[in-house]
Amino acid sequence: MKSVVIGASAGLGRALAEELAQRGDQLFLVSSNLDDLAPIAADLTLRYGVSVTVEAADITTLDPEAFRDKVHAALGPIDNLLLIAGISLLDKDKGPMPPADLDRLIAVNFTAPLRIANVFLPDLTQSPAGNFIGAGSVAAVRGRRNNMVYAAAKRGFECYADSVRHYLAGQNGAKVQFYRLGYLKTRMTAGQKLPFPALDPSEAAKSMVANMGKDLGSVYLPRWWIGIMSLIQALPWALFKKLDI
Ligand SMILES: NC(=O)c1ccc[n+]([C@@H]2O[C@H](COP(=O)([O-])OP(=O)(O)OC[C@H]3O[C@@H](n4cnc5c(N)ncnc54)[C@H](OP(=O)(O)O)[C@@H]3O)[C@@H](O)[C@H]2O)c1
């Protein structure tokens, strides 16, 4: 299989690249820094004998069509698109924030994934066993006064993934898995005091790769977050508004 991982230099994206290399996928990896990507590519090629091409780019300024052409030059049409890159700005995203920060949160978490997906939809419609995989967040399930813009962007991305699932239904066979991720042990949560346990990114990646080929739509990862988020969704407004979450 031929797989593109957006946000492959750290955390979950890096763990996914490793899992995919282990099963023999040809990879195209993207993140903003070549110094991070080059050793990862060399390591995966050495250990698993797979071809790994890298592109250092800020996905918010990437020209999607030129990017797709580079991917096609390296791999030809792809089977799997993994849109994993994301950022949060926890300290600022709790009310009014500098407009440039608001724009960046939306660009990385919403606009860029959609612009990239848009140019690869034809590949996915042609792949007999392809996958569209998106990294969402439990933060998007019910809006709160923390992570306001991040959550809105992730919810928008999730809505787009629903649409892609509907678009791909009845075509050649590509499937959608969109993950409402709980806490992961990555730099995004480093130093934070978390109210619930964080999942190791390699465990998350194993589950996600095992799920490839399944028509899942949106699911929680880990699955036990469904209990927490169902409770949070069910809380009456009078109570919810008093919570500092
Ligand atoms: N960690 C959590 O607890 C948690 C919880 C819920 C959801 N999520 C979501 O899960 C996904 C993965 O999170 P993570 O914790 O693994 O994050 P991470 O460790 O911070 O890694 C993020 C990856 O995305 C890349 N990236 C970010 N902005 C980019 C940009 N503008 N252009 C190119 N690459 C960019 C980073 O590369 P560079 O360093 O080169 O920018 C890096 O490879 C994200 O979408 C996140 O929102 C995470």
Side-chain angles (χ1 to χ4, degrees), residues 162-243:
D162 282 344
S163 301
V164 171
R165 189 181 183 204
H166 201 236
Y167 173 77
L168 292 174
Q171 306 224 24
N172 264 328
K175 302 290 189 290
V176 172
Q177 299 107 46
F178 187 88
Y179 291 94
R180 293 175 172 176
L181 294 161
Y183 298 122
L184 299 171
K185 286 180 201 161
T186 65
R187 68 185 180 185
M188 198 178 267
T189 53
Q192 286 179 43
K193 207 171 157 214
L194 304 172
F196 299 106
L199 184 65
D200 195 281
S202 61
E203 291 305 312
K206 274 190 184 39
S207 300
M208 290 168 71
V209 170
N211 283 337
M212 287 171 79
K214 296 182 187 168
D215 184 20
L216 291 185
S218 293
V219 289
Y220 287 96
L221 186 67
R223 290 181 68 83
W224 49 260
W225 272 93
I226 195 170
I228 296 166
M229 295 318 297
S230 301
L231 190 66
I232 286 178
Q233 277 184 301
L235 283 178
W237 173 243
L239 183 58
F240 183 69
K241 70 181 182 182
K242 292 181 186 154
L243 295 182

Side-chain angles (χ1 to χ4, degrees), residues 89-98 101:
L89 296 172
L90 264 186
D91 295 344
K92 297 179 178 175
D93 194 5
K94 1 174 123 185
M97 63 163 70
D101 289 330

